[in-house]
Amino acid sequence: MGQPQKPIAAEQQILSLGRVLQSLREEDDVDVLIETTISYLKEEFDYRLIWIALYDRLNHILFGKGGITPDRDTSFLHQRVVLSPGDLLEQVVIEQHPLGIADLQTEIRAAEWRKIAEKLQIQGTIILPIRYKDRCLGLLLLGSDRWGYLLTGEAKARLMMVLGELGALLYQHEMHKQQKQTKRSDEPLLELLENLRTLTNLNQRLEAGVQATHKFISPNRTNVYWFDREGRYFWCRMSNQLVKSDRNSSNQQAPGMTVQDLSDFYYALAVNQIVSIGDARSSLKSHFTAKLLQRLKVRSLLAAPIIWQKNLLGFLAVESNEPRIWTETDKNFVQSVASLISLVTPTESMESTIKQIQEDAQLTGQVAQGIYSEHDLQETLHICAKRVLARLTATRFLLLQYDPEQNNYQFIYQSQPHNRRSLTFTLNPLKELDVQLLQRSTEAVEIENLDEDLRFFNWRPFLLESGVRSLLICKCTQSHIPAALLLITHETHRSWTTLEKDLLWAVSQQIGVIVRQWQLHNRTTQQQKTSQAFEQCLNILTKTQNSNEVEKKHLEHTALEQIASILGCPLALLLSWSPGENLAEIIPGVIDNSQFGIFSDASIPIQSEALIQWALVTENYLTLKVDNLPPETRKWLNTPDKGQILVMALRTNADYEITGVVLLADYQERRWSQQNLNAIATLISQLAWWRRQKQINRLLESTTEELRQLNWYKHRRLEEIQRITALSLKQIHDLGIPANELTQMRYQLLLRQLDHTATSMSGMLKLENWQLHISWETMPIASLLKRSLERIENLLHKQKLWIGVHGLGQPIDEQESPKNSSLVRGVPSSSAQSAMAIAGDIVKIELVIHELLVTACNRSPIGGRIDIWCRRLDASKPSEAKQSSAIVGAEHQTSLELSITYNGAIESQLLTELHQNTLKDVLAPSKLDQPPALHLLICQNLMLELGGELNFYQLPDNRVVSRLLLPLVSHDS
């Protein structure tokens, strides 16, 4: 059998790794584990510097456990290293990843090790964490005299295996040590619970809790501090050094403290948080930590709150004169003892608490009884405020209501001592965060220190100036913006118990019923006020129909007063004008405030005044701030800079003229209710219709008066002409017939004409004194046209006009054209002329045709042409009947279409206004108010009464057409 072969280098390394891992697993002593690891690293890795340190997680410190150095001086390898931010060692501890350094002598983030590296000529360095389950237990530093720091994969794997095994063993050792050091708190707590059960006095129970805590934790001092709510300070009620304390005791060893001095400490206790201050660690901010330790004259503190029904009664504190690390067991024990104290505390004041609950129930019952009784609401609130202030030992009882028009909160009731003044200011609307806070709240919102609390921030300056330092606030109604709020204030910093806050919440909900009653009462009053304003305004507008201008302005002034009363506006006026005017007149209505000024004599241009133009383009009312007014408007309207304005045009119908703008103003910005805005919009619209009716009546009365005078004058003149004509005819008859035959013939002809004229004049004077008389005659159209053309003969010669008549001598169905027409001055002589005769009031029809011909002559250019087209429309041909206009009975009788065409200018607006279906505003300026357009309108209306129709339009070739439909005499007539 041969000799065993020597193991190769790789096998030797694996065997060495196995031996060291086995040695580590079999060892319990930490120092031996460290030495075994260092020996293995020295043998297997070529590093001149090896250092192993263990990490203290609580104190953030590394403790050196040894290693090797080139000069065999290992004293610095056992030193304590405090980790600081930015240090390489802290980086490895926190990140728990290996870190390589090419040259440790040049690394500025390792100040102490840099000096050591320079001394020992160390360059390439590797720092590795010793970790287990994401927990750093120590560090390993390997330094070489060569530059660089890379490890081969195989060497790195062996190193990590050794460090992993070392970390697991160190973790097990630390857990075992903690378990041995952990105190058992169950037995002392059970013993304390038994003692508390047998003791009857609260001070005895506090003493038992203090003694048990002091014995278990062994601090320098153990105290119970009690909280005084009205004074907002803590006083030492029980201590292990002073068995029993009194709040007024002068020789108590443990100092007291105010909430104002240590607010963070107080707020932490109030939310049931334990406060722990130890060696380099604190659950509070550093500023408050130092202040608290200085106030208590200690170096370490552990405090647990004593809370009952969300009320902070005090706290249990263990204090040490030296820096101390408080374990979880310590914290749990102190918190458990504080909880036991909170459970036994209420028994001391059980009777007084029951009595207080009964009194609170009686108070809320009296408030509810006062609300639903017949007592005055102010008296009910007075009794309620008196009792609540006495119960809560508060200074002011304030009831606020939100005014949506003013957009602020106003005091609707307040109660305070006789030596305090009432609050006269208003409060701005709440911020959105405060609104949400009140909406979510189901109890009174407490502010113990208004100087430091940021809630209700925009109210703080007003309340602080009034001496308010703490307050309770409750919403009385449920709404998006709290409509009513109840505030209880105090002039010092203090807190209230949960029982007190619950009482105020119950009272506030009952007061909400009072507020709703007030709101309903105010709403009813406002509706009655609006109804009265409507009634009075309508009575004013229907008071008289025949008022003069002075009385009309007085009625408008009174109507403006009623409109302004609905919104409570101190200023109301009317900018008035008539159709066609360019300037507006100011009609004042209400000026009840010296802050407003109106230059009433100013003439305001309608087209350039911004307020008027804004109102005209707005379909309804328009509200705007005074800041938005241009300088031109401020010249005649003087209002406060923070004021608000409402303008609305006097609009009746979209097609009717606007004749004014109503202006309302207030000295501050308001949010008028939609109900009131709708009411004044209705009244302003009613005022617009009233003014329009007045203007129409005035116009019609004036026109009627003028026409009466004109008719009287013309009628009397015609009577005189008829008398003179009759007298002249009588004288002619008395002279006899001349002897000359030719003269006799002409004499008789002229005499017949004079007789006919006198007869027709007599008939007109007799039958048409104050109204038209429609007669019935027939006449051939040719004769009618001939007579009409003879009357304008002089006008044709004067303007050198050519006139042609077409369609009289042609068959019914033949269409005439200018090409084959007889170009004559008169009517062509033909037997067919008698084929068409019209029926009706021939005299009036002749006047209409004459008016149309005169208009054509006046509008035609010199040397122009006028065509008269005649066409018979037979009822037997539906197509022709449909082509005619909508004349009454056009489908049932034969009509004559008489069209007069000429090349002349005519306004498109005039054609539109002459259209029968166009809605006409009698107050709007129109061309139809004056001749010659007025004459055309009269002819158009007259033809409708005569059973015909008259239309005007323009052809595509710009010729103007006057189309006349006349009834023809039927063949059976």
Side-chain angles (χ1 to χ4, degrees):
M1 188 174 187
Q3 294 182 354
Q5 299 180 354
K6 292 183 179 181
I8 60 177
E11 292 179 350
Q12 184 65 34
Q13 292 174 354
I14 293 174
L15 293 175
S16 178
L17 175 63
R19 284 194 300 269
V20 72
L21 292 177
Q22 183 66 29
S23 299
L24 292 174
R25 294 190 188 102
E26 294 175 353
E27 187 58 53
D28 294 331
D29 189 270
V30 174
D31 293 334
V32 176
L33 291 174
I34 299 297
E35 292 177 1
T36 303
T37 304
I38 293 174
S39 299
Y40 173 77
L41 295 175
K42 180 179 179 182
E43 294 175 1
E44 298 296 328
F45 296 93
D46 187 15
Y47 285 98
R48 301 183 62 195
L49 175 63
I50 299 175
W51 179 59
I52 293 181
L54 298 183
Y55 175 58
D56 183 356
R57 182 171 53 87
L58 294 178
N59 298 307
H60 201 48
I61 297 174
L62 290 174
F63 293 96
K65 302 299 289 184
I68 62 172
T69 60
D71 58 358
R72 301 184 182 277
D73 182 12
T74 60
S75 59
F76 67 91
L77 298 181
H78 295 273
Q79 293 180 357
R80 187 179 70 167
V81 179
V82 178
L83 299 178
S84 57
D87 193 352
L88 288 178
L89 300 180
E90 186 194 48
Q91 179 179 342
V92 176
V93 168
I94 294 176
E95 296 180 359
Q96 298 187 26
H97 290 292
L99 178 66
I101 305 168
D103 189 355
L104 186 59
Q105 299 179 25
T106 60
E107 182 56 59
I108 60 176
R109 292 180 297 170
E112 296 296 331
W113 285 101
R114 179 181 177 184
K115 297 177 182 179
I116 295 173
E118 292 177 352
K119 177 183 177 182
L120 302 178
Q121 298 299 314
I122 300 299
Q123 289 187 337
T125 305
I126 300 176
I127 305 175
L128 301 100
I130 303 173
R131 54 189 295 271
Y132 181 77
K133 292 184 178 180
D134 295 330
R135 182 169 177 177
C136 184
L137 301 169
L139 291 181
L140 168 64
L141 187 145
L142 302 175
S144 173
D145 57 357
R146 299 185 304 275
W147 188 91
Y149 52 86
L150 292 177
L151 280 172
T152 62
E154 179 269 338
K156 184 177 181 180
R158 288 187 289 118
L159 180 60
M160 297 308 295
M161 292 177 65
V162 173
L163 293 181
E165 186 67 24
L166 178 62
L169 296 173
L170 291 176
Y171 179 78
Q172 293 178 2
H173 184 270
E174 183 175 341
M175 292 297 101
H176 180 69
K177 182 179 179 181
Q178 288 183 1
Q179 291 176 359
K180 287 182 64 178
Q181 293 178 350
T182 300
K183 302 177 183 178
R184 294 185 58 84
S185 61
D186 50 354
E187 293 180 0
L189 286 175
L190 289 174
E191 182 180 354
L192 174 62
L193 184 60
E194 181 65 22
N195 291 336
L196 294 177
R197 188 179 64 83
T198 58
L199 298 174
T200 58
N201 184 273
L202 179 60
N203 287 329
Q204 294 176 354
R205 292 171 176 174
L206 293 179
E207 180 184 356
V210 167
Q211 296 298 340
T213 305
H214 192 78
K215 180 179 179 181
F216 183 81
I217 299 179
S218 301
N220 294 100
R221 187 168 59 244
T222 302
N223 300 320
V224 170
Y225 290 87
W226 217 247
F227 182 52
D228 186 283
R229 292 191 171 276
E230 294 188 11
R232 290 188 88 231
Y233 69 91
F234 293 96
W235 59 282
C236 184
R237 183 167 183 175
M238 187 62 61
S239 174
N240 69 304
Q241 299 177 356
L242 184 67
V243 177
K244 181 179 178 181
S245 299
D246 183 78
R247 75 178 67 187
N248 299 320
S249 177
S250 60
N251 59 350
Q252 59 187 34
Q253 299 178 10
M257 66 194 80
T258 63
V259 171
Q260 189 172 2
D261 293 337
L262 302 169
S263 57
D264 273 22
F265 175 67
Y266 166 73
Y267 292 128
L269 295 176
V271 293
N272 199 19
Q273 289 183 1
I274 188 170
V275 176
S276 172
I277 301 175
D279 186 12
R281 289 183 176 276
S282 173
S283 59
L284 300 177
K285 295 180 181 179
S286 58
H287 169 69
F288 288 100
T289 298
K291 196 172 182 180
L292 178 61
L293 295 179
Q294 182 181 3
R295 184 73 179 83
L296 296 177
K297 299 178 181 180
V298 295
R299 299 284 300 275
S300 300
L301 173 69
L302 187 61
I306 302 172
I307 293 179
W308 172 253
Q309 291 184 344
K310 300 181 181 179
N311 296 317
L312 180 64
L313 304 179
F315 65 91
L316 173 64
V318 291
E319 306 164 4
S320 177
N321 296 330
E322 299 297 332
R324 178 169 174 174
I325 299 176
W326 304 109
T327 64
E328 291 298 324
T329 303
D330 297 336
K331 296 178 183 179
N332 293 334
F333 189 87
V334 172
Q335 195 168 21
S336 300
V337 174
S339 299
L340 290 176
I341 294 176
S342 67
L343 291 176
V344 298
T345 298
T347 58
E348 182 188 35
S349 57
M350 187 67 71
E351 293 183 1
S352 61
T353 302
I354 294 174
K355 182 179 179 181
Q356 191 65 66
I357 292 175
Q358 292 174 347
E359 293 178 355
D360 292 347
Q362 183 181 5
L363 172 60
T364 54
Q366 289 175 349
V367 174
Q369 183 179 1
I371 291 174
Y372 295 105
S373 66
E374 298 297 329
H375 294 165
D376 181 68
L377 296 180
Q378 290 285 343
E379 181 182 353
T380 302
L381 284 177
H382 175 71
I383 298 174
C384 174
K386 183 179 179 180
R387 292 179 177 273
V388 169
L389 291 179
R391 167 69 176 85
L392 302 183
T393 61
T395 306
R396 293 181 185 271
F397 179 98
L398 305 173
L399 183 58
L400 287 80
Q401 186 175 17
Y402 177 71
D403 187 350
E405 293 190 1
Q406 304 289 345
N407 192 26
N408 59 22
Y409 280 93
Q410 300 178 358
F411 296 104
I412 59 177
Y413 181 83
Q414 51 182 314
S415 178
Q416 58 277 325
H418 297 294
N419 58 349
R420 301 290 190 276
R421 293 182 179 180
S422 300
L423 305 182
T424 57
F425 52 83
T426 60
L427 294 173
N428 297 327
L430 293 171
K431 300 296 184 183
E432 185 62 27
L433 288 177
D434 296 328
V435 172
Q436 294 176 2
L437 171 65
L438 289 175
Q439 287 177 345
R440 294 193 302 265
S441 66
T442 56
E443 62 178 9
V445 177
E446 180 183 20
I447 295 182
E448 301 180 15
N449 187 351
L450 190 60
D451 297 292
E452 298 178 356
D453 205 309
L454 297 181
R455 291 175 294 179
F456 307 98
F457 187 78
N458 54 338
W459 288 6
R460 290 175 69 244
F462 304 97
L463 297 176
L464 289 174
E465 187 178 353
S466 302
V468 177
R469 292 298 178 267
S470 58
L471 59 92
L472 290 176
I473 180 170
C474 293
K475 60 180 179 181
C476 300
T477 56
Q478 301 289 339
S479 58
H480 175 64
I481 298 178
L485 297 174
L486 176 61
L487 269 71
I488 301 298
T489 70
H490 202 277
E491 294 181 343
T492 60
H493 302 150
R494 63 158 296 177
S495 62
W496 285 270
T497 65
T498 303
L499 190 62
E500 292 171 333
K501 289 187 283 187
D502 291 342
L503 169 65
L504 187 64
W505 177 263
V507 171
S508 68
Q509 301 310 297
Q510 293 177 348
I511 290 179
V513 179
I514 298 179
V515 174
R516 282 190 287 271
Q517 289 180 352
W518 272 348
Q519 290 174 343
L520 292 174
H521 175 72
N522 294 336
R523 191 174 305 169
T524 303
T525 303
Q526 182 63 37
Q527 289 175 351
Q528 292 176 351
K529 184 178 179 181
T530 303
S531 177
Q532 292 174 359
F534 264 90
E535 182 179 355
Q536 295 178 10
C537 195
L538 292 177
N539 289 337
I540 292 169
L541 299 183
T542 58
K543 188 174 182 180
T544 176
Q545 295 294 331
N546 300 316
S547 59
N548 54 28
E549 189 66 23
V550 175
E551 187 176 354
K552 171 178 168 293
K553 289 186 177 180
H554 173 70
L555 295 177
E556 290 174 341
H557 170 82
T558 309
L560 289 173
E561 287 181 343
Q562 297 301 322
I563 293 173
S565 67
I566 295 179
L567 293 182
C569 292
L571 175 66
L573 57 88
L574 173 64
L575 303 175
S576 174
W577 65 87
S578 298
E581 292 182 350
N582 297 322
L583 298 177
E585 175 191 6
I586 299 178
I587 299 178
V590 179
I591 304 179
D592 289 342
N593 197 306
S594 59
Q595 301 182 42
F596 295 95
I598 302 298
F599 184 42
S600 57
D601 296 333
S603 297
I604 303 174
I606 299 174
Q607 297 299 325
S608 60
E609 174 51 50
L611 276 179
I612 295 178
Q613 293 302 315
W614 291 341
L616 293 181
V617 298
T618 305
E619 184 176 355
N620 206 340
Y621 53 81
L622 173 67
T623 58
L624 62 153
K625 297 181 180 178
V626 174
D627 297 338
N628 298 329
L629 296 181
E632 291 76 12
T633 303
R634 303 295 290 269
K635 292 179 180 178
W636 62 268
L637 178 62
N638 183 22
T639 59
D641 293 335
K642 295 183 179 181
Q644 183 168 294
I645 287 178
L646 182 144
V647 290
M648 181 175 177
L650 295 179
R651 195 185 310 273
T652 52
N653 188 289
D655 298 316
Y656 290 166
E657 288 285 317
I658 296 175
T659 59
V661 171
V662 173
L663 185 149
L664 304 173
D666 204 343
Y667 55 87
Q668 61 182 351
E669 184 180 354
R670 295 177 59 184
R671 294 183 180 180
W672 292 302
S673 66
Q674 191 62 44
Q675 180 182 0
N676 290 342
L677 290 174
N678 294 337
I680 66 162
T682 303
L683 289 179
I684 292 175
S685 177
Q686 187 66 34
L687 176 62
W689 280 106
W690 176 82
R691 278 173 52 87
R692 173 177 172 80
Q693 188 62 39
K694 286 293 182 183
Q695 291 171 339
I696 291 176
N697 291 344
R698 192 163 58 249
L699 175 63
L700 294 180
E701 290 172 0
S702 174
T703 304
T704 302
E705 184 66 24
E706 292 176 358
L707 292 178
R708 285 175 177 174
Q709 294 175 1
L710 180 62
N711 185 65
W712 172 84
Y713 167 72
K714 289 186 175 182
H715 199 77
R716 292 293 181 260
R717 289 285 295 170
L718 285 174
E719 287 178 348
E720 180 65 16
I721 294 172
Q722 191 271 341
R723 187 186 65 81
I724 295 175
T725 302
L727 181 60
S728 299
L729 284 173
K730 183 178 181 299
Q731 292 174 357
I732 292 174
H733 283 294
D734 291 343
L735 291 176
I737 301 174
N740 187 301
E741 184 178 353
L742 178 60
T743 303
Q744 180 182 0
M745 182 180 65
R746 298 194 60 177
Y747 176 82
Q748 291 177 349
L749 179 61
L750 292 173
L751 194 60
R752 281 198 302 273
Q753 290 180 353
L754 285 173
D755 284 333
H756 178 71
T757 302
T759 302
S760 63
M761 196 176 302
S762 298
M764 183 189 69
L765 291 173
K766 180 180 179 181
L767 299 176
E768 297 183 314
N769 187 2
W770 288 103
Q771 62 183 4
L772 293 178
H773 175 73
I774 307 300
S775 61
W776 182 263
E777 306 169 82
T778 61
M779 177 179 285
I781 186 60
S783 301
L784 184 60
L785 289 177
K786 184 176 181 181
R787 287 168 54 176
S788 299
L789 292 174
E790 288 175 353
R791 296 180 64 179
I792 63 170
E793 188 70 27
N794 293 333
L795 192 56
L796 294 174
H797 283 295
K798 181 180 178 181
Q799 294 189 226
K800 301 177 182 180
L801 296 175
W802 184 94
I803 190 165
V805 181
H806 317 284
L808 290 181
Q810 301 300 325
I812 293 175
D813 296 333
E814 183 179 348
Q815 297 292 332
E816 287 289 344
S817 64
K819 217 185 288 183
N820 55 13
S821 299
S822 301
L823 305 178
V824 293
R825 293 282 181 178
V827 179
S829 178
S830 172
S831 60
Q833 297 173 8
S834 60
M836 289 189 291
I838 61 173
D841 195 326
I842 300 301
V843 176
K844 295 180 177 60
I845 293 175
E846 182 180 354
L847 290 175
V848 172
I849 295 175
H850 172 72
E851 187 68 35
L852 298 178
L853 290 174
V854 170
T855 301
C857 291
N858 292 333
R859 291 182 176 272
S860 297
I862 297 176
R865 167 178 173 171
I866 299 175
D867 292 299
I868 301 175
W869 301 83
C870 299
R871 187 165 72 111
R872 181 171 181 171
L873 300 180
D874 197 344
S876 62
K877 294 185 177 182
S879 61
E880 291 185 355
K882 289 181 181 179
Q883 292 174 1
S884 65
S885 296
I887 180 174
V888 178
E891 296 85 353
H892 307 292
Q893 68 180 25
T894 304
S895 303
L896 173 67
E897 180 185 61
L898 180 66
S899 301
I900 301 174
T901 63
Y902 58 92
N903 288 303
I906 189 170
E907 299 86 350
S908 59
Q909 181 182 358
L910 178 59
L911 292 176
T912 303
E913 292 178 349
L914 286 172
H915 196 274
Q916 291 182 358
N917 296 328
T918 301
L919 183 63
K920 300 180 180 67
D921 185 1
V922 297
L923 297 178
S926 173
K927 293 183 177 295
L928 300 179
D929 295 336
Q930 300 294 332
L934 176 60
H935 296 165
L936 298 179
L937 177 63
I938 293 173
C939 292
Q940 193 177 51
N941 294 333
L942 182 59
M943 287 308 304
L944 289 176
E945 295 185 21
L946 296 177
E949 186 175 343
L950 176 60
N951 291 310
F952 303 92
Y953 55 91
Q954 195 168 18
L955 297 175
D957 58 1
N958 292 327
R959 284 187 298 162
V960 180
V961 179
S962 302
R963 182 174 179 272
L964 188 64
L965 287 181
L966 299 171
L968 283 176
V969 179
S970 63
H971 297 292
D972 299 333
S973 299

